[in-house]
Amino acid sequence: MRQNWFAAAVIYKEAENGCVTFLLQKSEAIHPRYPAKIKFPGGMRGRNDKTSQRTVAREVREETGLKLKKGGYPQVVFSVVDHDRTKKFFLFNALAFDGELRKEELLDGDSRLFPPYWADLNEAQISLCSSHQPGLIEALKYLGLMR
């Protein structure tokens, strides 16, 4: 049986003053019965994805316009088992990517993705959907911003 996984990128950048921001995006289901949510870039394993790292690199490119640099690796990977799949959150410094953020809306399956944006820690903690909160919490611990 083929393994089913979800992979998301927790991408951060640190300003000279020490403030950390995270790359988020709003996702809105085309079907109005599902509420909009704020999430990290990411998605389900694609047909040709042999590894979860390939999934996350593809999803980031498709959803944000950023491309993982050759030799760009995550600092750490956090795994959470949720029902029948494993959710993997890859922590990346923004310096691991090339390109510019997408500026237009995008249809992705049954969702509309709004342009990605940088959010400060407070906004990320308040607005991030519950299914992505574990990735943020583990990232904050790793970065020494939470105990």
Side-chain angles (χ1 to χ4, degrees):
M1 185 171 141
R2 182 178 168 199
Q3 187 179 8
N4 191 18
W5 63 65
F6 173 89
V10 180
I11 303 171
Y12 74 95
K13 63 181 178 179
E14 191 171 351
E16 287 183 25
N17 65 3
C19 291
V20 176
T21 56
F22 294 90
L23 188 62
L24 304 178
Q25 66 183 46
K26 180 179 175 183
S27 174
E28 184 177 84
I30 293 171
H31 307 291
R33 66 181 175 182
Y34 299 112
K37 63 182 178 180
I38 305 297
K39 67 183 204 73
F40 291 121
M44 295 301 297
R45 178 182 185 182
R47 183 173 301 159
N48 298 319
D49 294 342
K50 296 194 184 334
T51 66
S52 54
Q53 186 156 339
R54 182 168 286 175
T55 300
V56 78
R58 176 184 53 76
E59 288 286 345
V60 168
R61 187 179 64 252
E62 290 173 1
E63 293 184 2
T64 70
L66 299 178
K67 184 177 179 184
L68 188 61
K69 291 178 182 177
K70 186 173 183 146
Y73 295 100
Q75 290 176 271
V76 68
V77 180
F78 315 110
S79 294
V80 178
V81 177
D82 183 24
H83 302 291
D84 65 337
R85 68 176 177 236
T86 300
K87 290 182 179 179
K88 294 187 177 184
F89 294 93
F90 292 77
L91 179 64
F92 289 99
N93 187 301
L95 298 174
F97 295 90
D98 281 327
E100 293 189 22
L101 291 177
R102 176 178 55 78
K103 293 179 172 64
E104 66 283 340
E105 288 183 17
L106 170 70
L107 289 179
D108 183 28
D110 61 353
S111 296
R112 176 180 296 112
L113 298 177
F114 292 85
Y117 62 96
W118 293 102
D120 66 23
L121 176 55
N122 187 52
E123 181 179 352
Q125 289 175 313
I126 291 170
S127 61
L128 198 61
C129 67
S130 62
S131 64
H132 286 224
Q133 285 287 338
L136 178 63
I137 290 167
E138 292 302 321
L140 294 176
K141 288 178 186 176
Y142 182 84
L143 295 170
L145 299 173
M146 179 181 203
R147 292 181 185 215

